[in-house]
Amino acid sequence: MTVHRPRTAADWTAEIRTKPHDTFGLLFEQYSATIYNYCFRQTASWDAAEDLTSTVFLEAWRCRDRLVVEQGSVLPWLYGIATNVCRRQRRTVFRGWRAVRRLPPEVDQPDPADDVAGRVDDERRMAEVLSVIDRLPAGERDVVALVVWEGLDYQSAAAALDIPVGTVRSRLHRARRRLSTSLAAPHVQEQR
Amino acid sequence: MNDLLPPDRRSIPKRRRALMRERLDEEISTTTTTVGRRREGAVRRFGIPAAVAAVAALLAIGGYVVATDDDGVRNDPRGDTGMAGQDDDRSESDGQPKPEAGVSEPMADPSEPYAQCVRMVVRQFGWRGEPVDQEPVGKLAIDNGKGIVVVVANSTDSYTCNLEPDHAVSRGNASDGEFQASDFWFALNATGNVLRGDEGDMVWAGGEAPEGVTAIRYTFSDGHTEAAVVQDGFWAVQYYSERVIPHGPNDHVEVTVEGTTPQTFELPFTSDTECNQISHGC
């Protein structure tokens, strides 16, 4: 009888050691789009999100020996890396993703995802949202992004940010209170 | 605005996605190859069991032991892979003079760093639509225990690569006989453990030096002065700080050139000018 169990951090680490390209390739295939959208929501720029997504997976590779599995998933760990990468993007610039940014423009077949007008609209809207969210302290902003926008439960958000679950709860509560004083707060489901 | 919810999700454009994957694969290949070679080299040279070599390395690099986090995780900008082999290489037991932690010295065997840098130059400038017609050759490779900076050049251009902790290339014009301020623009990388958000800063630069230049020194906005390595008409510098190096509208970096024509240059050090500083004129 085969017993299926979630892969542990040790499983991942062992697989990465023996088959690094396959294993990290799998991580990239599974989660790059999720991280891409998360990075967009941090920056209001699709171009920056591309660069940052690339950086997140490069950083994940460099930190692979400290991989964390939360509830059977490595996604919270990737969110944690993405949160820090986006945060420090404001302070400095990573050459690795700058190189990607400077790649020649696409000249092959138009990509349906590359809807220029739609992307511009997205960026304008996201910038408006961020102009409000940015008034929050960084810790509260991170919690709003992970729980409200990305749909993480409190435990996963806590793992991503390396803080206690209670802190996630209290930060979210404070964030909602602050936001509700001036604007309609986002719809947040209570405990997931 | 009725809500604070973001726009709908989008997929990554296919070509960009493929390039990201390619970049990741390249990083994985480079890291695993480099670590393997370093470890092989260490074993060959020491001729002693790896465990003994590791202990010797730890004793030899007290600076790294000091730079350990509260929970024992080393503040290693290269992650856990690149340094392992290099620590071995830095053991006292190989009888070679070792760079003091944080001090840049020319690498004893720069052949692989040269080859890596040339590959990066050809690839990255090819991507940008600026093919490198004449393959550059290695000129200078320095290592300070936190980073590796390599200068390669052909007859028209010099290129400076940061192999560790990042993989980045900048291009500078070949020396036309005198320095200009832009020759000293530098790259700033955030380094450190991104999971903990406790990054430091790594600054690096390099290029071709006019004849008669004997020394180049960078004094950063935190007061630290770092001497560049000048060798056979080329120079390279790198400075690692565990703290963020102040950079803002009032922060500057002073570069002093010694030799037949002493000069001093004051460079801006702000986030706004970072792009120019990084790329030697992107």
Side-chain angles (χ1 to χ4, degrees):
Chain A
M1 185 176 71
T2 303
V3 178
H4 293 283
R5 62 173 177 79
R7 274 195 281 198
T8 64
D11 295 335
W12 276 104
T13 302
E15 285 184 37
I16 288 169
R17 192 167 291 131
T18 53
K19 295 181 291 184
H21 286 277
D22 291 347
T23 311
F24 247 79
L26 179 66
L27 278 183
F28 182 83
E29 297 302 327
Q30 283 189 335
Y31 298 123
S32 57
T34 301
I35 296 301
Y36 171 63
N37 281 279
Y38 179 68
C39 292
F40 169 73
R41 292 166 175 189
Q42 297 284 318
T43 60
S45 163
W46 290 112
D47 283 346
E50 289 174 10
D51 299 337
L52 291 165
T53 301
S54 183
T55 301
V56 167
F57 282 90
L58 292 173
E59 288 292 339
W61 166 252
R62 291 165 186 162
C63 300
R64 61 193 178 279
D65 286 350
R66 296 188 287 273
L67 182 145
V68 173
V69 173
E70 177 62 35
Q71 300 181 69
S73 173
V74 298
L75 187 55
W77 177 66
L78 291 172
Y79 271 127
I81 295 173
T83 300
N84 283 324
V85 165
C86 291
R87 193 181 292 155
R88 84 178 174 199
Q89 184 244 8
R90 299 176 180 205
R91 178 165 70 82
T92 187
V93 180
F94 255 159
R95 291 298 317 277
W97 50 264
R98 277 206 164 274
V100 175
R101 184 192 304 200
R102 282 194 293 261
L103 295 176
E106 293 176 53
V107 292
D108 50 5
Q109 294 179 344
D111 191 321
D114 199 14
D115 167 14
V116 175
R119 288 162 65 96
V120 171
D121 286 345
D122 286 351
E123 292 180 346
R124 188 181 303 121
R125 179 172 174 193
M126 194 68 225
E128 289 174 1
V129 172
L130 285 181
S131 70
V132 177
I133 295 295
D134 279 349
R135 297 175 198 164
L136 297 173
E140 293 175 21
R141 174 197 151 117
D142 291 343
V143 169
V144 168
L146 289 172
V147 175
V148 180
W149 294 344
E150 300 302 308
L152 263 62
D153 60 31
Y154 291 176
Q155 191 172 337
S156 296
L161 299 174
D162 196 21
I163 57 176
V165 173
T167 305
V168 172
R169 199 189 311 271
S170 59
R171 284 183 184 176
L172 192 57
H173 176 72
R174 285 198 299 269
R176 293 178 64 199
R177 197 173 53 193
R178 281 186 220 275
L179 293 171
S180 65
T181 58
S182 55
L183 290 163
H187 175 68
V188 181
Q189 292 181 348
E190 282 304 337
Q191 180 60 35
R192 294 157 187 272
Chain B
M1 186 162 46
N2 294 324
D3 61 50
L4 292 175
L5 296 178
D8 291 341
R9 294 171 184 272
R10 287 180 179 273
S11 57
I12 307 173
K14 285 179 186 170
R15 181 170 158 74
R16 299 287 171 162
R17 191 169 183 279
L19 289 168
M20 287 181 202
R21 176 68 190 271
E22 192 178 339
R23 174 87 172 90
L24 179 62
D25 283 340
E26 183 182 318
E27 175 77 9
I28 292 171
S29 296
T30 302
T31 311
T32 50
T33 303
T34 303
V35 171
R37 284 185 182 146
R38 282 176 170 171
R39 286 185 175 148
E40 285 168 18
V43 170
R44 273 200 307 275
R45 193 178 310 142
F46 302 154
I48 53 178
V52 177
V55 170
L58 280 174
L59 293 173
I61 55 164
Y64 285 143
V65 176
V66 171
T68 301
D69 292 327
D70 293 343
D71 59 2
V73 177
R74 196 174 60 203
N75 270 331
D76 180 357
R78 288 183 252 205
D80 294 332
T81 54
M83 290 305 291
Q86 190 164 58
D87 289 352
D88 291 345
D89 288 349
R90 285 164 193 286
S91 165
E92 289 175 345
S93 56
D94 68 356
Q96 298 293 317
K98 294 299 163 198
E100 185 183 329
V103 176
S104 292
E105 291 189 0
M107 297 180 73
D109 179 9
S111 53
E112 177 58 26
Y114 285 165
Q116 275 191 47
C117 182
V118 169
R119 282 198 298 271
M120 286 166 58
V121 166
V122 171
R123 187 182 186 91
Q124 293 201 18
F125 284 90
W127 271 349
R128 296 180 205 175
E130 304 167 27
V132 178
D133 296 328
Q134 183 189 3
E135 189 167 285
V137 296
K139 298 294 183 182
L140 175 61
I142 63 172
D143 184 352
N144 72 350
K146 289 289 187 183
I148 296 174
V149 175
V150 178
V151 181
V152 300
N154 58 24
S155 62
T156 57
D157 295 290
S158 66
Y159 303 87
T160 305
C161 300
N162 177 217
L163 301 186
E164 302 286 355
D166 204 347
H167 279 84
V169 180
S170 68
R171 175 165 58 189
N173 294 326
S175 169
D176 55 2
E178 61 180 26
F179 272 138
Q180 301 174 29
S182 59
D183 292 328
F184 298 105
W185 285 346
F186 49 87
L188 171 66
N189 299 334
T191 64
N193 184 342
V194 73
L195 287 174
R196 297 169 55 93
D198 59 355
E199 317 94 75
D201 278 346
M202 174 71 83
V203 173
W204 56 274
E208 186 170 358
E211 193 174 344
V213 170
T214 56
I216 298 169
R217 289 188 183 83
Y218 277 66
T219 299
F220 293 95
S221 45
D222 60 0
H224 175 84
T225 297
E226 186 76 24
V229 175
V230 181
Q231 177 180 289
D232 300 330
F234 292 87
W235 63 278
V237 66
Q238 58 183 340
Y239 166 45
Y240 170 75
S241 171
E242 290 183 348
R243 295 186 179 85
V244 174
I245 303 170
H247 53 292
N250 299 319
D251 293 312
H252 293 85
V253 176
E254 187 176 275
V255 180
T256 305
V257 179
E258 293 179 7
T260 50
T261 311
Q263 291 173 285
T264 299
F265 300 92
E266 190 172 88
L267 310 178
F269 194 177
T270 68
S271 297
D272 292 340
T273 57
E274 219 165 51
C275 173
N276 287 333
Q277 292 169 341
I278 281 175
S279 66
H280 282 220
C282 66

